[in-house]
Amino acid sequence: MSLNILERLKSNPSCLSKSERKVAQVILEDPNKAIRSSIASLAKAANVSEPTVNRFCRSLDCTGFPDFKLKLAQCLATGTPYVNRNVEASDNVEEYSSKIFEATMSAISDAKRSIDPNALSRTVDALAQARRIEIYGLGASGSVAMDAQHKFFRMNTPCVAYTDVLQQRMAAAATKPGDVVIIISNTGRTIALVETARIARDSGATVIAITQPHSPLAEDSHILLGVDSPENTDIYTPMTSRIVHLTVIDVLATGVILKHGPEFQSHLKRIKAALAETRYKSPETD
């Protein structure tokens, strides 16, 4: 985590309280000064108490303030401070590939820490009992919706993904109680998706949102799988957020399979066996 601690602070992780975010802001303004500061001086600069600084450090998986400063120093020493998270035109292949890999790993790690296990459990229960599953996404989230359909159609439950706004609205209006609608959006601010969520709710479907907490879409869902993302997709093409959303889908699909119990394995085995004749045989190893 030491290589990504500034990445995590820059992404405004949900594990930090309001007071702890004040500490983060002071550190981000001058990381080098933070390394030289005492806990008392940092607390004063952030206008918080010293125990708050200690809680801030533990929220970032550090044992205390000295451990945090050590990891912060290690992060700065790598030559990849937080201001260089985005790829620069002057980066060579090693530099920009390293940045992308590190940003993605950091985003997945943050999502693992922040996502609500209770919300995951409720979502798995809803999907396992669903009469029908529909998944909506637009743009980059549309590809995640298609991947979700690829996972869930194996569950013996009718499943479809829609990536067109008009189809989404019509499909949402046709849903019924017992149906589950998953809506995927990095920002949670896409007007069409928020309106579709409301239509599905009014039709009686259970609406599950994979999106930013405190967003309009989050507010109009029954179950929120909140995923914070540091990406500014108003400017940049979604990268790490898309990978995080795909990972959440994998978690849900696995949960539903386990929910169905061991006897469901024979069903999955038949589906996999149907592919056997479409592939060349693997070469035998000596």
Side-chain angles (χ1 to χ4, degrees):
M1 187 198 70
S2 61
L3 298 180
N4 293 311
I5 199 165
L6 281 173
E7 290 279 353
R8 292 188 63 196
L9 291 180
K10 186 65 175 178
S11 70
N12 196 22
S14 59
C15 63
L16 299 180
S17 67
K18 184 177 181 181
S19 296
E20 290 166 358
R21 291 174 195 270
K22 294 180 180 180
V23 180
Q25 184 59 42
V26 170
I27 292 168
L28 289 173
E29 289 173 357
D30 193 342
N32 286 290
K33 182 178 179 181
I35 293 173
R36 300 189 300 270
S37 298
S38 66
I39 188 171
S41 60
L42 182 60
K44 182 178 180 181
N47 195 28
V48 298
S49 66
E50 292 183 28
T52 297
V53 176
N54 271 321
R55 287 195 299 272
F56 161 84
C57 296
R58 289 193 295 271
S59 295
L60 295 172
D61 301 325
C62 299
T63 58
F65 188 57
D67 184 42
F68 170 79
K69 290 204 296 183
L70 174 62
K71 290 179 178 178
L72 179 59
Q74 290 172 338
C75 181
L76 292 174
T78 65
T80 55
Y82 71 97
V83 293
N84 290 334
R85 178 179 59 225
N86 298 317
V87 172
E88 305 291 345
S90 59
D91 287 347
N92 59 37
V93 63
E94 183 177 358
E95 291 169 335
Y96 66 69
S97 61
S98 177
K99 288 179 180 180
I100 292 172
F101 275 109
E102 288 188 8
T104 301
M105 290 186 291
S106 178
I108 291 176
S109 181
D110 281 344
K112 177 185 175 184
R113 293 184 183 92
S114 64
I115 199 162
D116 181 5
N118 180 60
L120 283 173
S121 180
R122 292 171 59 203
T123 300
V124 168
D125 287 344
L127 291 170
Q129 299 169 25
R131 186 187 72 91
R132 176 181 173 86
I133 299 171
E134 298 190 355
I135 309 109
Y136 307 155
L138 298 173
S141 295
S143 63
V144 181
M146 296 303 296
D147 182 79
Q149 180 192 26
H150 181 70
K151 297 292 192 309
F152 289 117
F153 88 91
R154 309 159 192 252
M155 308 300 179
N156 257 354
T157 302
C159 178
V160 63
Y162 292 110
T163 59
D164 175 85
V165 171
L166 298 183
Q167 286 183 323
Q168 289 170 355
R169 292 178 70 94
M170 290 187 290
T175 57
K176 298 176 176 63
D179 295 342
V180 174
V181 173
I182 301 174
I183 303 181
I184 305 163
S185 172
N186 178 51
T187 66
R189 293 184 285 107
T190 303
I191 294 172
L193 289 175
V194 176
E195 291 178 346
T196 299
R198 292 170 183 165
I199 294 172
R201 283 177 61 107
D202 291 344
S203 298
T206 298
V207 177
I208 298 165
I210 303 177
T211 191
Q212 294 271 359
H214 313 299
S215 63
L217 179 58
E219 297 299 324
D220 275 299
S221 64
H222 291 106
I223 305 175
L224 167 65
L225 296 178
V227 180
D228 283 314
S229 173
E231 287 186 311
N232 184 352
T233 53
D234 290 335
I235 302 175
Y236 301 105
T237 299
M239 289 187 179
T240 60
S241 60
R242 189 184 79 260
I243 302 302
V244 169
H245 291 167
L246 287 169
T247 304
V248 172
I249 293 297
D250 286 344
V251 170
L252 296 177
T254 301
V256 173
I257 291 173
L258 295 176
K259 196 78 175 177
H260 283 318
E263 63 277 5
F264 193 66
Q265 295 301 317
S266 60
H267 168 74
L268 297 176
K269 184 178 181 180
R270 287 196 302 272
I271 293 176
K272 184 62 70 172
L275 300 176
E277 299 303 319
T278 68
R279 296 171 178 166
Y280 289 110
K281 303 298 181 183
S282 298
E284 294 183 359
T285 56
D286 295 332

